[in-house]
Amino acid sequence: MFWVIPGIFALIVFAVSLTKVDADNPSRVYAAYGGIYILSSLLWLWLFEGVKPNGWDLSGVIISLLGTVIILFGSHIGIRFDS
């Protein structure tokens, strides 16, 4: 039950952090947050619940973090998908 307090604190820190994002498209930053959330969830699982992530977990994190990088930086490399 004591794990609820750090979880609530983490959500509050996250919500306040989102209000401080200085970006042209804050929604893009919020979308990219998904990869960070998945990584944080697996770290929580491992460090606080004692369940070591398996290969599928790690593969999923890598894929989601790759997606995060694409969302955040893809428009900066000059390849356009819109007409």
Side-chain angles (χ1 to χ4, degrees):
M1 183 68 174
F2 293 110
W3 55 267
V4 172
I5 294 170
I8 290 171
F9 178 73
L11 286 173
I12 291 170
V13 169
F14 166 69
V16 171
S17 313
L18 279 178
T19 66
K20 306 297 182 194
V21 171
D22 183 27
D24 293 336
N25 300 306
S27 296
R28 182 171 284 140
V29 174
Y30 183 70
Y33 160 75
I36 305 302
Y37 181 80
I38 293 169
L39 174 63
S40 301
S41 297
L42 285 179
L43 286 174
W44 183 276
L45 180 73
W46 191 10
L47 298 174
F48 294 100
E49 296 183 24
V51 178
K52 186 177 179 183
N54 62 30
W56 290 109
D57 297 328
L58 298 176
S59 298
V61 166
I62 290 168
I63 291 168
S64 67
L65 290 176
L66 179 60
T68 297
V69 170
I70 290 169
I71 290 170
L72 287 177
F73 303 111
S75 63
H76 299 289
I77 60 173
I79 299 173
R80 299 184 55 96
F81 289 105
D82 54 349
S83 42

